[in-house]
Amino acid sequence: MATKTTEEMMAELESSIKPYKKDYHTYSHLPATGRKKETIIGELEALKAAEESKWKNGLVSGAVYHGAQDHIDFLNEVYALTSQTNPLHTDVWPSITKFEAEVISMTANMMSAEKVNDVEDADDEVCGALSSGGTESILLAMKTYRDWAREMKGIRNPEMIVPSTAHAAFDKASQYFNIKMKRIPVDENFKADIEKTRDAITPNTIVIVGSTPSFPHGVIDPIEALSELAREEDIGFHTDACLGGFILPWAEKLGYEVPLFDFRLPGVTSISVDTHKYGYAAKGSSIILYRNPELRRYQFYTTTDWPGGLYLSPTFAGSRSGALSAAAWAAMLSIGEEGYLANTKKILEAAAVIKDGIRDIPELYLLGDALWDIAFSSKDLNIYKVMDYMGEKKWSLNGLQNPAAVHICLTLRHAQEGLPEKFITDLKSAVESTINNPGKAVDGAGRLYGMSANIPIKGVVDAFLKRFLDLLFKL
Ligand SMILES: Cc1ncc(COP(=O)(O)O)c(C=O)c1O
């Protein structure tokens, strides 16, 4: 098989991410006169129709977590009612301040805030803020620990200890805020390694991190032991429950084995939980929680001498949409405990069918003990090729690396009647195709992962990815 050059791959990528060039006008300048609103709506409807089936039928890993039409219509109505709001102006829109305080409190109580706040002699008072997504919540937490450690402990060269499987947002935080990253390899079950974490602690450590679960393998780290290490050293511990925060409390109630990961553990000092994933809110909201307001204060920005007046903001954004906060509030109220329990049950039952199906395919094996974010690989086959054959059947899965694997993160979309069974049927046929055509080049994301695995120079792949980002903004 001829290997494609980087340029050829770039050209192919360009045509796949810019599919509308031929049929739609490309605007590089403002139109001289405004276009009719009906025409613009018509164009948006056509684009929506072209893209909707990709995720609506449940063939995409993660991405859309609810997606039922009545839920979408409800969120859209909430958005329309609040579209002009901006929580920066607390005097104009106190309704948004109310929604945000309530979303934070409801989420905090899912993370056992009430249980720890009520303990006598403890000065815990779980609190939080609403951010734009999991990445922002994680960035905010890491900045908070950096500034806390500088003031309280005089640490000028901060370090963070993060399992290799924790989300890339922690690397982003390390780069943005100049915190030295210590990535610790996970154990053979893809869980954070307690002993290696202990060995990595230095006087400059400001925070230890664990995921519940991790994005790649859906594995829950040993939060109890890791957070105890942090408590012994008087450093922060962050539970990244971006993915699991709105599943695990309900899974526990449904009787699944869920280890403790929230504020019931005294060493846990912050938790990120995404309302815009299994909270079923519109994209653009997440909650960052802290064990007490003293810690949260290091997140806040205030300035008193700016000619524009006194200025204060809790997160990275200045102005932002209150409609997303209203949508998160409305989603949570409309679903309620009963709805979250029922939805979690559906997702976990779909996951059981898929895990059993994968166990029955001799060429494949499961990685770790995931509940619903399921990673699999093969000892004999090129798993990226299996992924590409799944792509031919319209499944959009995530390629993983180190080790090479593929995952499907199940959402309510996958809990549709017959879909878990269809996944397994298609997967069996993708495995067959890979066995029968091991040399055939298949177009898809698998090739990119293959390339990344085969290019030993990290900088080359980094440069390729930066060029991909350039491409996104090219006309
Ligand atoms: C465990 C985990 N943490 C953080 C994030 C980042 O969330 P976001 O994409 O909302 O920034 C994700 C996203 O999938 C995740 O799975």
Side-chain angles (χ1 to χ4, degrees), residues 133-135 138 167 213-215 240 242-243 274 276-277:
T135 299
I138 288 168
H167 197 268
S214 67
F215 171 81
D240 178 10
C242 282
L243 199 56
D274 284 358
H276 75 186
K277 293 193 173 81

Side-chain angles (χ1 to χ4, degrees), residues 65 132-138 165-170 211-216 240-244 272 274 276-277 283-286 373 407 409:
Y65 291 76
S132 63
T135 299
E136 186 181 354
S137 289
I138 288 168
T165 49
H167 197 268
F170 292 98
S211 313
T212 59
S214 67
F215 171 81
D240 178 10
C242 282
L243 199 56
S272 46
D274 284 358
H276 75 186
K277 293 193 173 81
K283 271 283 176 283
S285 77
S286 163
D373 173 21
H407 91 190
C409 183

Side-chain angles (χ1 to χ4, degrees), residues 229-398:
L229 285 182
R231 195 158 73 109
E232 281 161 20
E233 301 289 335
D234 187 28
I235 54 184
F237 182 86
H238 181 84
T239 299
D240 178 10
C242 282
L243 199 56
F246 271 88
I247 292 274
L248 295 177
W250 317 114
E252 189 181 335
K253 284 205 164 78
L254 289 166
Y256 287 83
E257 207 180 306
V258 177
L260 288 184
F261 68 96
D262 63 17
F263 289 113
R264 281 172 285 180
L265 297 172
V268 171
T269 47
S270 60
I271 310 182
S272 46
V273 185
D274 284 358
T275 32
H276 75 186
K277 293 193 173 81
Y278 298 97
Y280 310 119
K283 271 283 176 283
S285 77
S286 163
I287 308 299
I288 174 67
L289 297 168
Y290 295 98
R291 187 170 273 277
N292 54 57
E294 286 71 42
L295 189 55
R296 181 178 60 178
R297 217 151 282 152
Y298 293 94
Q299 178 186 301
F300 291 164
Y301 175 75
T302 55
T303 181
T304 51
D305 52 7
W306 180 45
L310 298 178
Y311 187 93
L312 60 162
S313 75
T315 56
F316 293 138
S319 290
R320 60 197 168 88
S321 166
L324 292 176
S325 306
W329 180 80
M332 289 174 78
L333 292 191
S334 69
I335 294 169
E337 285 200 12
E338 209 181 11
Y340 284 110
L341 266 174
N343 291 340
T344 300
K345 187 166 183 283
K346 282 188 205 157
I347 292 171
L348 296 180
E349 284 174 1
V353 173
I354 289 186
K355 284 187 287 183
D356 284 347
I358 294 174
R359 280 190 201 101
D360 283 346
I361 303 176
E363 290 80 10
L364 301 183
Y365 65 92
L366 292 165
L367 280 69
D369 58 353
L371 273 174
W372 73 97
D373 173 21
I374 304 162
F376 55 93
S377 191
S378 172
K379 291 210 163 55
D380 323 304
L381 305 176
N382 178 346
I383 196 68
Y384 299 136
K385 201 152 270 187
V386 177
M387 174 171 147
D388 286 340
Y389 277 115
M390 287 297 272
E392 289 193 338
K393 293 180 185 298
K394 304 277 178 266
W395 288 95
S396 171
L397 307 178
N398 298 100

Side-chain angles (χ1 to χ4, degrees), residues 162-175:
V162 181
S164 54
T165 49
H167 197 268
F170 292 98
D171 284 299
K172 210 175 196 180
S174 144
Q175 286 187 28

